[in-house]
Amino acid sequence: MNKFFVSLTLCGLLVSPAFAAPVRLKGAKADAFIAKYFPNADIPGPVEGSFTYKKGARTAVGHASCNVPAMGARSEGEVSTCTVKY
Protein backbone atom coordinates (compact mmCIF):
# COMPACT_ATOMS: atom_id res chain seq x y z
CA MET A 1 0.00 0.00 0.00
CA ASN A 2 2.81 2.44 0.84
CA LYS A 3 4.58 1.81 -2.47
CA PHE A 4 1.30 2.36 -4.33
CA PHE A 5 0.70 5.68 -2.55
CA VAL A 6 4.26 6.86 -3.18
CA SER A 7 4.06 5.97 -6.87
CA LEU A 8 0.75 7.84 -7.26
CA THR A 9 2.17 10.86 -5.49
CA LEU A 10 5.31 10.86 -7.64
CA CYS A 11 3.22 10.56 -10.80
CA GLY A 12 1.26 13.62 -9.71
CA LEU A 13 -2.11 11.90 -9.52
CA LEU A 14 -2.76 12.86 -5.92
CA VAL A 15 -1.09 16.27 -5.93
CA SER A 16 -2.30 17.45 -9.31
CA PRO A 17 -3.50 21.06 -9.71
CA ALA A 18 -6.54 19.67 -11.55
CA PHE A 19 -7.97 18.90 -8.12
CA ALA A 20 -7.66 22.52 -6.95
CA ALA A 21 -10.79 24.26 -5.74
CA PRO A 22 -12.30 26.75 -8.20
CA VAL A 23 -11.82 30.48 -7.59
CA ARG A 24 -14.97 32.59 -7.29
CA LEU A 25 -14.86 36.23 -8.38
CA LYS A 26 -17.57 38.84 -7.74
CA GLY A 27 -18.20 42.43 -8.75
CA ALA A 28 -15.34 44.51 -10.14
CA LYS A 29 -12.88 41.59 -10.03
CA ALA A 30 -15.23 39.48 -12.19
CA ASP A 31 -15.74 42.38 -14.61
CA ALA A 32 -11.97 42.90 -14.93
CA PHE A 33 -11.44 39.15 -15.49
CA ILE A 34 -14.05 39.08 -18.27
CA ALA A 35 -12.59 42.20 -19.89
CA LYS A 36 -9.08 40.70 -19.85
CA TYR A 37 -9.77 37.12 -20.97
CA PHE A 38 -13.05 37.44 -22.92
CA PRO A 39 -12.95 40.92 -24.52
CA ASN A 40 -15.35 39.96 -27.34
CA ALA A 41 -18.01 38.35 -25.11
CA ASP A 42 -21.66 39.20 -25.68
CA ILE A 43 -22.75 40.80 -22.42
CA PRO A 44 -25.01 40.92 -20.48
CA GLY A 45 -25.58 37.22 -20.06
CA PRO A 46 -23.51 34.08 -19.54
CA VAL A 47 -19.83 34.02 -20.54
CA GLU A 48 -18.09 30.65 -20.59
CA GLY A 49 -14.95 29.25 -22.13
CA SER A 50 -11.29 28.37 -21.91
CA PHE A 51 -8.47 30.87 -21.60
CA THR A 52 -4.68 30.80 -21.43
CA TYR A 53 -2.60 32.32 -18.65
CA LYS A 54 1.05 32.40 -17.58
CA LYS A 55 2.07 30.06 -14.76
CA GLY A 56 5.70 30.77 -14.06
CA ALA A 57 7.59 30.36 -17.32
CA ARG A 58 4.94 28.25 -19.04
CA THR A 59 1.50 28.88 -20.49
CA ALA A 60 -1.44 26.99 -18.97
CA VAL A 61 -5.14 26.65 -19.82
CA GLY A 62 -8.01 27.42 -17.46
CA HIS A 63 -11.80 27.39 -17.75
CA ALA A 64 -14.24 30.05 -16.60
CA SER A 65 -17.99 30.26 -16.23
CA CYS A 66 -19.30 33.79 -15.66
CA ASN A 67 -22.59 35.64 -15.54
CA VAL A 68 -23.02 39.36 -16.21
CA PRO A 69 -26.43 40.72 -15.13
CA ALA A 70 -28.35 43.24 -17.23
CA MET A 71 -28.39 46.93 -16.25
CA GLY A 72 -31.83 46.62 -14.61
CA ALA A 73 -30.62 43.84 -12.35
CA ARG A 74 -27.42 45.77 -11.60
CA SER A 75 -29.45 48.71 -10.37
CA GLU A 76 -31.16 46.30 -7.96
CA GLY A 77 -27.79 45.24 -6.52
CA GLU A 78 -26.77 42.20 -8.59
CA VAL A 79 -23.09 41.94 -9.56
CA SER A 80 -21.09 39.95 -12.09
CA THR A 81 -19.85 36.56 -10.89
CA CYS A 82 -17.25 34.11 -12.22
CA THR A 83 -16.15 30.62 -11.28
CA VAL A 84 -12.61 30.06 -12.54
CA LYS A 85 -10.83 26.69 -12.65
CA TYR A 86 -7.07 26.87 -13.11
Side-chain angles (χ1 to χ4, degrees):
M1 175 94 174
N2 257 351
K3 289 181 183 179
F4 180 71
F5 179 76
V6 170
S7 65
L8 283 178
T9 303
L10 291 176
C11 291
L13 295 176
L14 295 179
V15 192
S16 173
F19 298 112
V23 176
R24 290 184 172 65
L25 304 173
K26 291 176 79 173
K29 290 182 180 181
D31 289 332
F33 178 85
I34 294 168
K36 181 177 180 178
Y37 291 107
F38 302 104
N40 298 325
D42 291 331
I43 52 176
V47 177
E48 187 171 340
S50 297
F51 62 96
T52 58
Y53 64 97
K54 292 294 251 183
K55 184 175 182 178
R58 66 182 180 98
T59 302
V61 177
H63 185 79
S65 178
C66 304
N67 186 38
V68 180
M71 290 307 289
R74 282 180 180 256
S75 65
E76 294 175 1
E78 285 192 40
V79 294
S80 299
T81 58
C82 287
T83 301
V84 183
K85 297 175 187 172
Y86 290 99

